[in-house]
Amino acid sequence: MRFRLDIAFGAIIAGATLAFSVLPAQAAWENYISHPLSFSVAMPGEVTASRGTYEAVVAGAHDTIVFSSSENGIDYRVMLVDTLDVQDKAASLLGEAAYNFQEAKTLMMDIDARVDRHFGRKLTVELPNDAGRATAEYFFLNGQLLELRATIPPGGDYGSPNIARFIDSLAFFPDMANQNSVELNLPE
């Protein structure tokens, strides 16, 4: 009985096709940039923009702009807090945001972060009541507190490389952004 290469090759192709057909659909990742807000980031799928309010003891209440998207149950969010009136407290605001993010949660990682010439903090926490896990990164830039956050639901893929892809894609210099970046529209 001779081994037939064409049959073996056909079986391999059929198996690979079947394997890829049962994978979950992946949203297309795009590189986004906001020239007015001085940052760029990669996010999956359709990005929505909204306005809100950020409140903290030291910072007080401030307006926010939030860009968000979701893929495979993982929520991705970029929040910019307008703290221009208290920018002289930048270090305290950064520390307060990081503290509030990890308060009453199991802290898994807390390290210094650096993007371009800006220093910040990167944290990962287990959410209370087995609600999943979240990774966030905080920076202070041009009078604004910037937060990138990826939230993974319970039973989600905690090892997804897309979490690092999102967090590590942040850039502050326009020339560091992908040349094909899509401009983020500011919310009304």
Side-chain angles (χ1 to χ4, degrees):
M1 184 185 263
R2 288 181 38 170
F3 179 74
R4 295 205 40 200
L5 188 57
D6 58 338
I7 293 173
F9 185 69
I12 290 170
I13 295 298
T17 302
L18 178 63
F20 284 115
S21 68
V22 297
L23 290 175
Q26 299 290 317
W29 279 73
E30 293 280 349
N31 293 301
Y32 294 93
I33 189 166
S34 175
H35 287 94
L37 300 173
S38 304
F39 79 95
S40 66
V41 67
M43 295 176 80
E46 184 178 334
V47 175
T48 59
S50 61
R51 292 193 181 270
T53 303
Y54 173 86
E55 289 191 51
V57 174
V58 175
H62 295 277
D63 294 333
T64 65
I65 295 174
V66 178
F67 300 100
S68 57
S69 70
S70 185
E71 178 190 48
N72 295 332
I74 301 174
D75 295 322
Y76 301 92
R77 180 178 89 167
V78 177
M79 179 177 67
L80 291 106
V81 183
D82 181 4
T83 53
L84 193 59
D85 62 330
V86 289
Q87 68 180 337
D88 58 331
K89 299 177 183 176
S92 296
L93 300 176
L94 195 64
E96 179 180 46
Y99 175 81
N100 288 341
F101 173 71
Q102 61 88 33
E103 183 179 27
K105 300 171 187 85
T106 302
L107 182 63
M108 302 180 66
M109 176 186 70
D110 182 359
I111 60 172
D112 292 329
R114 183 171 181 187
V115 171
D116 300 330
R117 67 173 187 247
H118 301 279
F119 291 91
R121 299 268 298 277
K122 183 176 179 181
L123 303 96
T124 298
V125 297
E126 288 284 348
L127 300 173
N129 304 317
D130 295 322
R133 185 177 290 175
T135 296
E137 195 167 47
Y138 295 91
F139 291 92
F140 197 83
L141 174 72
N142 301 330
Q144 295 190 355
L145 176 65
L146 176 107
E147 176 198 66
L148 270 71
R149 182 184 297 196
T151 304
I152 306 98
D157 185 3
Y158 295 150
S160 171
N162 288 335
I163 299 161
R165 179 181 186 179
F166 168 65
I167 296 287
D168 295 341
S169 71
L170 179 65
F172 295 122
F173 297 133
D175 58 335
M176 298 296 285
N178 184 301
Q179 296 302 317
N180 299 321
S181 294
V182 176
E183 184 71 33
L184 286 167
N185 295 317
L186 298 178
E188 299 294 321

